[in-house]
Amino acid sequence: MRLSHMDEFSFIQSIRPKYYKQSSVIKGIGDDGAIVKPPFDSDLVMATDTMVNNIHFSLDYMTFEDVGYRVLAANLSDLAAMGSSPLYYLVNITSPKYMTNSNLKRIIDGMKELAGQYKMDLIGGDTTSGNELVITVTVLGSLPNSKYRLRSSARLNDIVFVTGNLGESGYGLKLLQSNVEHHYFNQKHIRPSPRIDFVDATTNVKRMCLNDISDGLSSELYEIAEASKVSIAIDWAEVPFHDEMASLDHTELRKLTLSSGEDFELVGTCSDEDWNKIREVCDQHQIKVTQIGQVIDDMTTQPTVYINEYGKRKRLNREGYKHGKN
Amino acid sequence: MRLSHMDEFSFIQSIRPKYYKQSSVIKGIGDDGAIVKPPFDSDLVMATDTMVNNIHFSLDYMTFEDVGYRVLAANLSDLAAMGSSPLYYLVNITSPKYMTNSNLKRIIDGMKELAGQYKMDLIGGDTTSGNELVITVTVLGSLPNSKYRLRSSARLNDIVFVTGNLGESGYGLKLLQSNVEHHYFNQKHIRPSPRIDFVDATTNVKRMCLNDISDGLSSELYEIAEASKVSIAIDWAEVPFHDEMASLDHTELRKLTLSSGEDFELVGTCSDEDWNKIREVCDQHQIKVTQIGQVIDDMTTQPTVYINEYGKRKRLNREGYKHGKN
């Protein structure tokens, strides 16, 4: 059963935007569907993510606003990984009976806080009852000039790079679960920043392969390697992490930087020429980018990811561990 | 936790279309998002619906394929109510651990069966674990020539009409819950037909106000009345239902036809002139349409829905009951 008519009506009224920031929204919330007229010279990108309470987030250490913020951030990260600028979003919430309309509104408020940074409009959704809190967000973005940033576009000898630092969200989560308050790392987990800034800065770059780091660096590198039918070698010494994490146990540091996901940073590959351009514009916009490796020819037919460490090259597996004895 | 990598990978491979029917799909399943290039002379319509096991459907009397079919049908009905032709869909499934990849694939197979009728493409989605089965479908459709079929476009003296018969899904559900097999009515509940055929037949109609009957006729009429700031009077004698339902108790028949939802038929309003055109094209395409009432001036400022019955006009409430003594 959905919310009762009056409850649903008042809830929708409470979240319905007073005006839409995107002039392409013809009809937003309030009919059987939304109508938009996207820019005619752009392609449209769509992505969707579902998060479940106590699996992808927890109300134990997150506010309702945090939860909304984080679910939308994960979706915006997918848009970023496609090289796309955000336009609209839709929200579906299944919630247990003990949750009030005011709780639901706070989830939406958290989303609106993030959406507002990108002039994104909430244009639709659905609310239902259920046993647990399940939130689905679907985002749409524009992609001008056919600048596709696909996983399959890595080429031999490309530079492999990442944005920001790795493992901060995972470290923040660990601290939260141990009841350790550390604003910087905690917030990296609770309110991650999707790298839309990187997308906006690099619209003129000719060719880029991009993935967002939602499941851990190793896993994302394998996705690129397999989609592009190439092999990749990264250097452990170049993997960027926060100074304060340097004192962590080596095994833990490797796990956080190579295997823990949801940093929502980007990993990509590009030519030497494009890398110079990327460094230049990222420098202008104060976005940290680091070369961590290269696309290589390892003379095999099986796309593989390697890590160079202490002068040796070893195979990495998807989970971020080296093959054979570590 | 999502499905494990290999499970998710093999599941995605199993549902990924071999080719896309819509030539506008540039990148479907297999990256961080989908890329499409919608027809430049059309607007885009988006709608989304979430259904939860044992609330909106039940695996007790529905197969996994039925469930998939029905969730997509509900979404297509929203597109129909917007006058839009289906293009693409995205699917998010949260499922309990006892459900196998094969179960999930059967849900998608049911969707594909319906989607195939409209050359619709599955272009994205997400799978997560959870305590109960929750399915969200998001659909996109095209709307050429700015033919908006909004709730707010009813005008004084408009004809009020419905497609098909009312109450068949509700009656089918009742029979299913009483373990009565009746193929026709059971199927009306399990595999409802969204009225995309009506949309396709009426693209040339100048102005139409449309709503799909998902929450019951009375409730939908109120939505039209309030959005258009008009009042509406319908005639009980004109409300169309199946011959076999004529023998039902009067109270039950009224409840089924006026209050039970999910028939996914359409209710609309239009001018006399457009009504002639609608009847003509629906006749050609063998689509049943029935005039059930009119948009009236009742000299009040509060949009109201009335029912004429046995020579008397009484106020209907949202739930389909007459006001005051019945």
Side-chain angles (χ1 to χ4, degrees):
Chain A
M1 191 170 345
R2 306 191 182 190
L3 299 175
S4 75
H5 285 304
M6 281 321 291
D7 278 359
E8 194 176 15
F9 182 77
S10 66
F11 173 65
I12 290 172
Q13 287 304 319
S14 75
I15 62 161
R16 191 174 173 168
K18 285 182 190 63
Y19 66 96
Y20 292 91
K21 294 164 212 125
Q22 298 287 339
S23 58
S24 54
V25 177
I26 294 168
K27 180 78 201 176
I29 292 173
D31 212 298
D32 292 299
I35 307 176
V36 298
K37 192 189 274 297
F40 74 94
D41 56 350
S42 286
D43 298 330
L44 264 189
V45 175
M46 266 161 283
T48 184
D49 254 313
T50 297
M51 291 199 185
V52 181
N53 189 22
N54 293 323
I55 297 182
H56 304 91
F57 59 83
S58 171
L59 288 167
D60 292 347
Y61 49 75
M62 290 168 78
T63 64
F64 287 111
E65 288 86 352
D66 290 336
V67 169
Y69 193 101
R70 191 153 186 280
V71 184
L72 182 59
N75 275 276
L76 290 187
S77 182
D78 284 327
L79 284 188
M82 298 300 286
S84 170
S85 303
L87 292 171
Y88 333 109
Y89 64 112
L90 300 98
V91 181
N92 300 58
I93 305 181
T94 299
S95 59
K97 289 202 171 59
Y98 64 79
M99 278 185 61
T100 63
N101 272 2
S102 150
N103 297 154
L104 296 183
K105 185 176 178 300
R106 287 179 59 193
I107 293 174
I108 303 286
D109 284 343
M111 293 185 188
K112 284 186 175 173
E113 196 182 326
L114 180 60
Q117 298 177 27
Y118 307 109
K119 295 191 181 172
M120 247 193 138
D121 286 316
L122 173 63
I123 59 167
D126 193 13
T127 54
T128 56
S129 297
N131 294 329
E132 65 189 337
L133 179 60
V134 179
I135 307 175
T136 290
V137 169
T138 303
V139 287
L140 286 96
S142 62
L143 188 62
N145 311 318
S146 303
K147 287 279 170 77
Y148 306 134
R149 310 306 198 189
L150 302 180
R151 286 178 194 171
S152 55
S153 58
R155 301 280 174 271
L156 185 62
N157 298 325
D158 267 7
I159 301 284
V160 177
F161 64 88
V162 293
T163 61
N165 287 327
L166 302 188
E168 296 186 350
S169 170
Y171 189 48
L173 174 60
K174 196 184 139 81
L175 294 175
L176 282 166
Q177 287 172 337
S178 319
N179 290 312
V180 178
E181 270 200 44
H182 187 305
H183 186 75
Y184 177 82
F185 289 116
N186 293 169
Q187 286 301 107
K188 280 285 174 175
H189 178 73
I190 291 175
R191 297 206 168 199
S193 295
R195 302 315 303 246
I196 301 292
D197 54 351
F198 177 84
V199 169
D200 290 343
T202 56
T203 44
N204 288 326
V205 172
K206 219 159 123 190
R207 177 182 57 81
M208 248 196 309
C209 162
L210 281 183
N211 237 3
D212 70 322
I213 307 178
S214 49
D215 292 330
L217 179 65
S218 306
S219 165
E220 309 299 341
L221 287 171
Y222 265 99
E223 286 188 347
I224 289 175
E226 286 162 0
S228 298
K229 299 188 177 63
V230 296
S231 286
I232 290 172
I234 62 165
D235 299 304
W236 167 246
E238 304 302 330
V239 173
F241 50 82
H242 195 283
D243 287 346
E244 279 190 46
M245 287 171 64
S247 58
L248 291 174
D249 168 77
H250 181 72
T251 312
E252 192 183 357
L253 181 61
R254 277 186 64 114
K255 201 175 159 187
L256 287 170
T257 51
L258 302 183
S259 322
S260 84
E262 307 196 322
D263 273 318
F264 300 126
E265 295 294 343
L266 298 172
V267 55
T269 87
C270 65
S271 68
D272 284 340
E273 194 186 327
D274 281 334
W275 177 236
N276 287 332
K277 186 174 259 173
I278 290 168
R279 274 196 303 186
E280 192 187 306
V281 292
C282 285
D283 197 46
Q284 281 164 21
H285 291 84
Q286 293 176 296
I287 300 166
K288 177 173 180 174
V289 283
T290 312
Q291 175 178 354
I292 58 164
Q294 203 150 19
V295 177
I296 60 163
D297 182 3
D298 61 349
M299 307 293 188
T300 67
T301 53
Q302 183 70 31
T304 307
V305 179
Y306 301 90
I307 188 161
N308 299 323
E309 193 174 355
Y310 312 125
K312 285 183 185 158
R313 172 170 293 182
K314 294 204 168 181
R315 258 204 301 155
L316 262 185
N317 67 13
R318 283 177 179 278
E319 284 70 36
Y321 298 103
K322 288 174 285 187
H323 252 264
K325 289 178 196 157
N326 268 305
Chain B
M1 199 167 342
R2 307 194 179 185
L3 298 175
S4 75
H5 286 304
M6 281 320 291
D7 278 1
E8 193 175 17
F9 183 78
S10 66
F11 173 65
I12 290 172
Q13 286 304 318
S14 75
I15 62 161
R16 190 173 171 167
K18 283 181 193 63
Y19 65 96
Y20 292 90
K21 295 163 211 127
Q22 298 288 340
S23 59
S24 55
V25 178
I26 292 168
K27 180 79 200 174
I29 292 174
D31 213 298
D32 292 299
I35 308 177
V36 299
K37 194 189 270 300
F40 74 93
D41 56 349
S42 285
D43 296 329
L44 265 189
V45 176
M46 266 161 284
T48 184
D49 254 314
T50 297
M51 292 199 183
V52 181
N53 189 23
N54 294 323
I55 297 181
H56 304 91
F57 59 82
S58 172
L59 287 166
D60 292 346
Y61 49 76
M62 287 168 80
T63 65
F64 288 111
E65 288 86 350
D66 289 337
V67 169
Y69 193 102
R70 190 153 186 281
V71 183
L72 182 59
N75 275 276
L76 291 186
S77 182
D78 284 326
L79 284 189
M82 297 299 288
S84 170
S85 302
L87 292 172
Y88 334 107
Y89 64 113
L90 300 98
V91 181
N92 301 56
I93 305 182
T94 299
S95 59
K97 289 203 172 57
Y98 64 79
M99 278 187 62
T100 63
N101 272 1
S102 151
N103 297 155
L104 296 183
K105 185 175 177 301
R106 288 178 60 193
I107 293 174
I108 302 287
D109 285 344
M111 292 184 189
K112 283 186 175 173
E113 196 182 324
L114 180 61
Q117 297 176 29
Y118 306 108
K119 298 191 180 173
M120 248 193 139
D121 286 315
L122 174 62
I123 58 167
D126 193 14
T127 54
T128 55
S129 297
N131 293 330
E132 65 188 338
L133 179 61
V134 178
I135 307 175
T136 289
V137 169
T138 304
V139 288
L140 285 95
S142 62
L143 187 63
N145 310 319
S146 303
K147 285 281 170 72
Y148 308 133
R149 309 309 197 188
L150 303 180
R151 287 179 193 169
S152 54
S153 58
R155 300 280 173 272
L156 185 62
N157 296 325
D158 267 5
I159 301 284
V160 177
F161 64 88
V162 292
T163 61
N165 288 327
L166 301 187
E168 296 186 350
S169 170
Y171 188 47
L173 174 61
K174 195 183 141 79
L175 294 175
L176 282 166
Q177 287 172 336
S178 321
N179 289 312
V180 178
E181 271 200 42
H182 188 304
H183 185 76
Y184 177 83
F185 289 115
N186 292 169
Q187 286 302 106
K188 280 285 175 176
H189 177 73
I190 291 176
R191 296 205 169 203
S193 295
R195 302 318 301 249
I196 301 292
D197 55 351
F198 177 85
V199 169
D200 289 342
T202 56
T203 45
N204 288 325
V205 172
K206 220 159 120 189
R207 177 181 57 82
M208 247 194 313
C209 161
L210 280 184
N211 237 2
D212 72 323
I213 306 178
S214 49
D215 292 330
L217 178 64
S218 306
S219 165
E220 309 298 342
L221 287 171
Y222 264 98
E223 286 188 345
I224 291 175
E226 285 162 1
S228 298
K229 298 188 176 66
V230 296
S231 287
I232 290 172
I234 62 166
D235 298 303
W236 167 247
E238 304 302 330
V239 173
F241 51 81
H242 194 282
D243 287 346
E244 280 189 45
M245 287 172 61
S247 57
L248 291 174
D249 167 79
H250 181 72
T251 311
E252 191 182 357
L253 182 60
R254 278 186 63 115
K255 201 175 159 186
L256 286 170
T257 51
L258 302 183
S259 323
S260 83
E262 306 197 321
D263 274 319
F264 299 126
E265 295 293 344
L266 299 171
V267 54
T269 86
C270 64
S271 68
D272 283 339
E273 194 186 327
D274 282 332
W275 176 237
N276 288 330
K277 185 174 262 176
I278 291 169
R279 276 197 302 184
E280 193 185 305
V281 293
C282 286
D283 199 45
Q284 282 164 20
H285 291 85
Q286 294 177 295
I287 299 165
K288 179 173 180 174
V289 283
T290 311
Q291 176 178 353
I292 59 165
Q294 204 150 18
V295 177
I296 60 163
D297 182 3
D298 62 347
M299 308 292 189
T300 68
T301 52
Q302 183 69 31
T304 307
V305 179
Y306 301 89
I307 188 161
N308 300 322
E309 195 175 353
Y310 313 125
K312 285 185 184 156
R313 172 170 293 181
K314 294 204 170 182
R315 259 206 299 156
L316 261 185
N317 66 14
R318 284 177 178 275
E319 283 70 37
Y321 299 102
K322 287 173 288 189
H323 251 263
K325 288 178 197 160
N326 269 305

